[in-house]
Amino acid sequence: MKAAIWKKITVLVLILAVPGFLYYLLTAKGKNRYKPLAHFGPKEVAKTTHRFHGKDIPDTNYYQLPSFKLTDQDGKPFTEANLKGKIFVASFFYTHCPTVCSTINNNLSYLVGTYWKNKMVYFTSITVDPDRDTPDVLKKYLQSFKPESNRWVFLTGDTTSVYNLARKGFLVDAVQTGKDDFIYSDKLILIDQDKHIRGYYSGANTNDVNRLNDEIKVLIAEELRKVDKALY
C-alpha cells in the first residue's frame, strides 16, 4: 500500500517538475540548444566589446540590408520600414517566367500557409521584369496562388532600383539579357529582424525549402530568447 502511495507521489512530482525544468532550459537562464544561423555579407570588427569568461571580446558589425523603395501589388509605396522588426524571406521572379518561377512561388505559397498566423514572418517577391510586371499584373498573379496571408507582398519598381537592390542589397544576380530573357537567382533569402542576411536557399529544391522552414523557426526562437532575456 505504501509503495503505491509513494509511486503516485513520484509521478506527481515528475509531472510538476519536468515542465519547469524544460522552461529553464529554453529561457535565458538555460543554454542555447540549437546552432545559431550564420551571417552573410561583409562584416567588420566593431569598436564596442562584450565580456566573455572575464575577457573583453570585440563585437562584430554584420552586413545589413540597405534602404530601398519599391511599389507593392496595390500600387502603394513599400520600403524597408514596412518590414521593421520582422523576419522575412525575399525572392526574385517575373510573371512571364516559363520555367522555375512557378515552382519557386508554389514553394513560397506553402511557406506562407505555414506561417500565416505568425505576424513576425513576411514574404516578399520582387519582379526582375518591372516594365511588364505592373502592380495590377502582380496583384492578379498573387491572387492565382490564393494566399492565406496578406504578409506575402509582390513588389516592382524601376529597373535600376530593382537590379541594384538584388546585386548590392541582397547580394544575388539579376540582369536582363534580352527582351524576354533574364538571369536572376533562384535563391530564397532569409533576413532577420535586424536586416541581417541569415541564409540562402534554392527555391526550387524541396530539401532547401524544408531547411528554410526549419531555420525560420530558429530565427523566431532567437527573437523570443532576446525578449525573454530582457525580462531577467
Side-chain angles (χ1 to χ4, degrees), residues 47-65:
K47 294 180 180 180
T48 57
T49 62
H50 63 276
R51 299 287 289 178
F52 185 73
H53 291 317
K55 296 182 179 180
D56 288 326
I57 307 298
D59 294 322
T60 302
N61 287 332
Y62 294 108
Y63 174 80
Q64 285 187 307
L65 189 70

Side-chain angles (χ1 to χ4, degrees), residues 17-137:
V18 169
F21 180 67
L22 290 176
Y23 176 77
Y24 172 83
L25 291 178
L26 294 173
T27 62
K29 292 182 180 297
K31 293 183 178 180
N32 190 345
R33 297 295 170 178
Y34 57 81
K35 182 179 179 181
L37 303 184
H39 288 76
F40 291 82
K43 60 192 73 172
E44 60 183 21
V45 177
K47 294 180 180 180
T48 57
T49 62
H50 63 276
R51 299 287 289 178
F52 185 73
H53 291 317
K55 296 182 179 180
D56 288 326
I57 307 298
D59 294 322
T60 302
N61 287 332
Y62 294 108
Y63 174 80
Q64 285 187 307
L65 189 70
S67 300
F68 63 87
K69 184 176 181 180
L70 298 173
T71 303
D72 70 14
Q73 72 275 359
D74 294 317
K76 298 178 180 178
F78 192 96
T79 72
E80 76 287 346
N82 292 88
L83 298 166
K84 184 178 180 180
K86 306 298 182 184
I87 295 166
F88 73 97
V89 176
S91 64
F92 290 85
F93 82 108
Y94 62 106
T95 60
H96 295 82
C97 172
T99 53
V100 72
C101 293
S102 59
T103 301
I104 293 172
N105 285 324
N106 278 322
N107 286 332
L108 276 172
S109 181
Y110 159 74
L111 290 172
V112 171
T114 300
Y115 292 96
W116 73 275
K117 288 185 178 181
N118 194 317
K119 295 182 180 180
M120 292 175 66
V121 184
Y122 275 68
F123 298 84
T124 61
S125 296
I126 306 168
T127 179
V128 295
D129 187 12
D131 290 338
R132 286 191 294 186
D133 288 340
T134 63
D136 287 340
V137 171

Side-chain angles (χ1 to χ4, degrees), residues 70 92 126-130 155-167 174:
L70 298 173
F92 290 85
I126 306 168
T127 179
V128 295
D129 187 12
L155 300 171
T156 188
D158 64 84
T159 302
T160 300
S161 296
V162 169
Y163 287 178
N164 280 343
L165 179 60
R167 293 193 293 261

